[in-house]
């Protein structure tokens, strides 16, 4: 697996956007958009928008893309590490993909054999995620505000204290149709940040 490129650690002003890095890596592997879409289970239209920086993938979608391109997530972004599995309220650093308004606070640690990922996600008003499906399962718990989830065409509105548990192999997405930001606790069984083998040359 390729370690973080130096580009992903540069300042925001000098850092290429995610789309350029994805396109560069895909072309290096002689992979078409269609092949990447099939490998990541994402639509070609969405991937095309991402590569042209007209759409920003969620962390989950970026994880699917990075695995399909045989690179670690740190190739595209860097996130605060969780030391010894402990985080403190008010001390967690938030991060985003391409300075998106969707903000993440990392709760889960990265260690050998890890099968869980967990984040507190701030979802801005009007946000709509991409539709994805992948191995594993997920739980969404609403901390603040309201989020509408769509799992294989079934929409459920979740308010504070509500939760949803589902298999990630089902087509799913979520959105905030209100005029206020929401905060959710998201936990899934597929590690978002992980260490693999060597990247393909």
């Amino acid at each position: 697996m390729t370690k973080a490129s130096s580009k992903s650690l540069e300042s925001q002003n000098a850092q290429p956007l995610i789309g350029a890095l994805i396109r560069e890596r895909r072309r290096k592997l002689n992979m078409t958009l269609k092949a990447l879409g099939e490998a990541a289970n994402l639509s070609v239209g969405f991937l095309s928008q991402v590569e042209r920086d007209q759409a920003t993938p969620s962390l989950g979608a970026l994880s699917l893309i990075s695995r399909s391109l045989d690179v670690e997530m740190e190739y595209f972004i860097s996130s605060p590490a969780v030391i010894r599995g402990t985080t403190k309220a008010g001390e967690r650093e938030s991060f985003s993909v391409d300075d998106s308004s969707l903000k993440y606070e990392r709760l889960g640690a990265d260690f050998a054999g890890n099968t869980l990922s967990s984040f507190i996600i701030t979802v801005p008003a009007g946000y709509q995620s991409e539709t994805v499906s992948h191995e594993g399962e997920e739980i969404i718990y609403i901390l603040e505000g309201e989020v509408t989830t769509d799992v294989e065409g079934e929409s459920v509105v979740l308010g504070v204290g509500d939760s949803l548990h589902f298999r990630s192999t089902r087509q799913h997405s979520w959105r905030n149709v209100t005029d206020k930001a929401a905060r959710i606790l998201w936990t899934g069984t597929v590690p978002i940040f992980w260490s693999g083998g060597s990247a393909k040359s």
Side-chain angles (χ1 to χ4, degrees), residues 68-135:
S68 301
L69 294 176
D70 199 22
V71 291
E72 295 178 9
M73 282 282 283
E74 286 81 358
Y75 184 87
F76 300 114
I77 62 172
S78 59
S79 74
V82 175
I83 306 301
R84 296 190 179 92
T86 300
T87 69
K88 295 287 189 178
E91 297 180 4
R92 286 186 295 267
E93 295 181 45
S94 65
F95 67 99
S96 62
V97 178
D98 268 356
D99 203 28
S100 165
S101 54
L102 196 69
K103 304 298 181 184
Y104 299 88
E105 295 176 45
R106 186 174 176 180
L107 303 179
D110 183 19
F111 51 81
N114 174 36
T115 59
L116 282 178
S117 293
S118 189
F119 299 87
I120 292 176
I121 307 175
T122 300
V123 187
Y127 176 80
Q128 166 74 59
S129 78
E130 65 282 341
T131 299
V132 298
S133 66
H134 49 85
E135 292 301 316

Side-chain angles (χ1 to χ4, degrees), residues 115-118 137-139 168 186-191:
T115 59
L116 282 178
S117 293
S118 189
E137 55 187 290
E138 302 175 34
I139 294 178
S168 305
W186 177 93
T187 300
T189 56
V190 177

